[in-house]
Amino acid sequence: MTKHSLGWIGMGRMGYPMAERLLKAGHSVAIWNRTRAKAEPLAKKGGQIVDHPSELSGKDIVFTMVSTGKDLEQVYFGENGLVATSSGPRPKILVDCSSIGVEQSEAIRARLKQLGCEFISSPVSGNGKCVKAGKLSTVVSGPKAAFDEVEPYLKTIAASGVSYVGEGELSRICKIAHNVFLGVVIQNLAEITILAQKAGVPRHAFLDFMNASVLGSTFTKYKSNALVNLDWTTTFTPALLRKDLDLGLKAARDLDVAMPVTAATREALQSHFGAATLKPDPAAHLEKDFAALLETVALAAGLKLAPENVPMPTGLETEG
């Protein structure tokens, strides 16, 4: 079924189910991950596990899903990197689905262009459960001809939607804007949920109402179970959210855009880091999901939270 030979780098909470979707769709995928054991289960589903990123250099298209821009530079240009050698084959197109800064992405794009490789920026919206449920989406920028080649594979990975927004790093700006909105929404959702609870409304009843209203969304629905039952299983950390809010505010300053709501949200989120020092293990608390900031809002309101033990539908039932 595969028109191109495919490679994949990164088997974290997102990368694993994303690569798995390509394999389930019948594509042949060669995979590298820093910790090989995390990739090995995909060998049973047809994945070819390699020992170094450089072993993917002969593939037509290589996808990456890593944590930071520095990680991306390392797997591309570092020792045994994907395009580290001065000669030999190189992938025609590199597709990065990670969330990295605009300036880092620009620098990487320039280096790849000198090596004859096209670079597609394709950051995604959603978490691992969204991937499995077919509700991941992605925003894409880069050369249009290269996008046209990778679009069918992106539609397999991000079944909810693939939005091409233009050349260069425009998708990075869109992802930063997306995560700014994420921060504003979760902060305000926590505030109004605590407001309702302090007035006497159970969290599950209030969120059931919100989710059924015109303001309900995929996000409010799949976060409701966490907010009701205090399940802070990590999908996205407060530190990563803070980083994205800072990136958004930097972009706003650079482009002369006033973003007072974002600035207020950034400072509200900072209080979560201060509140963490009151926990027995502050570092572990800050590794929990960003929705745990509900506890910080409750603390400021003089409330001590307990799980309501009412299962809430998430809307993220896995496909197939």
Side-chain angles (χ1 to χ4, degrees):
M1 293 179 63
T2 305
K3 293 182 180 180
H4 302 85
S5 57
L6 305 179
W8 192 283
I9 293 173
M11 289 280 106
R13 282 189 293 263
M14 295 293 291
Y16 185 101
M18 291 167 74
E20 185 179 37
R21 286 188 71 89
L22 288 174
L23 290 168
K24 284 184 174 180
H27 301 297
S28 175
V29 186
I31 300 164
W32 179 83
N33 191 61
R34 183 178 288 112
T35 305
R36 183 186 175 100
K38 290 183 179 180
E40 286 177 343
L42 288 185
K44 297 177 182 178
K45 300 182 180 183
Q48 175 195 349
I49 315 302
V50 302
D51 294 321
H52 303 287
S54 57
E55 294 177 58
L56 304 177
S57 61
K59 301 301 179 183
D60 297 323
I61 301 169
V62 177
F63 295 84
T64 45
M65 187 61 171
V66 296
S67 297
T68 68
K70 287 185 178 180
D71 292 328
L72 189 62
E73 290 175 354
Q74 182 63 34
V75 299
Y76 280 175
F77 309 113
E79 185 179 359
N80 293 314
L82 182 62
V83 294
T85 59
S86 58
S87 60
R90 294 193 177 102
K92 179 182 178 183
I93 305 172
L94 282 69
V95 183
D96 180 51
C97 300
S98 318
S99 293
I100 68 173
V102 174
E103 293 176 0
Q104 284 179 311
S105 192
E106 285 177 337
I108 289 170
R109 184 182 300 279
R111 291 180 71 177
L112 290 174
K113 188 173 183 180
Q114 291 180 337
L115 297 174
C117 303
E118 301 278 24
F119 187 53
I120 292 292
S121 302
S122 185
V124 299
S125 171
N127 57 32
K129 290 182 179 179
C130 290
V131 180
K132 293 178 180 179
K135 294 189 177 180
L136 191 75
S137 62
T138 185
V139 58
V140 191
S141 63
K144 182 61 166 60
F147 166 72
D148 289 340
E149 286 197 59
V150 303
E151 184 181 16
Y153 306 110
L154 289 174
K155 284 184 173 179
T156 297
I157 297 164
S160 186
V162 176
S163 302
Y164 178 74
V165 294
E167 298 279 337
E169 312 313 320
L170 292 178
S171 65
R172 303 294 188 190
I173 289 289
C174 291
K175 182 59 193 295
I176 289 169
H178 171 282
N179 281 13
V180 164
F181 189 48
L182 177 75
V184 171
V185 171
I186 192 63
Q187 177 65 34
N188 195 245
L189 186 62
E191 291 174 4
I192 61 175
T193 300
I194 294 302
L195 173 66
Q197 180 175 345
K198 194 159 188 184
V201 182
R203 293 193 302 278
H204 72 270
F206 174 70
L207 289 167
D208 182 64
F209 156 68
M210 288 297 297
N211 291 336
S213 78
V214 295
L215 294 177
S217 68
T218 300
F219 175 71
T220 66
K221 289 173 183 174
Y222 81 65
K223 276 303 177 193
S224 289
N225 191 68
L227 298 178
V228 168
N229 298 305
L230 310 187
D231 178 1
W232 309 137
T233 302
T234 307
T235 64
F236 193 56
T237 65
L240 289 174
L241 179 58
R242 182 171 63 175
K243 177 201 74 173
D244 287 343
L245 289 171
D246 285 340
L247 287 172
L249 289 168
K250 179 184 183 301
R253 288 191 294 272
D254 292 344
L255 296 169
D256 288 328
V257 176
M259 297 196 358
V261 175
T262 303
T265 300
R266 167 61 173 83
E267 293 311 302
L269 178 63
Q270 186 61 41
S271 66
H272 186 66
F273 290 80
T277 63
L278 303 176
K279 299 287 184 177
D281 188 343
H285 184 66
L286 290 175
E287 284 301 312
K288 294 180 180 179
D289 193 69
F290 70 112
L293 62 85
L294 182 79
E295 292 185 355
T296 299
V297 176
L299 180 67
L303 287 180
K304 183 172 178 59
L305 300 180
E308 293 185 345
N309 299 317
V310 179
M312 299 286 287
T314 65
L316 296 183
E317 292 76 20
T318 303
E319 290 180 338

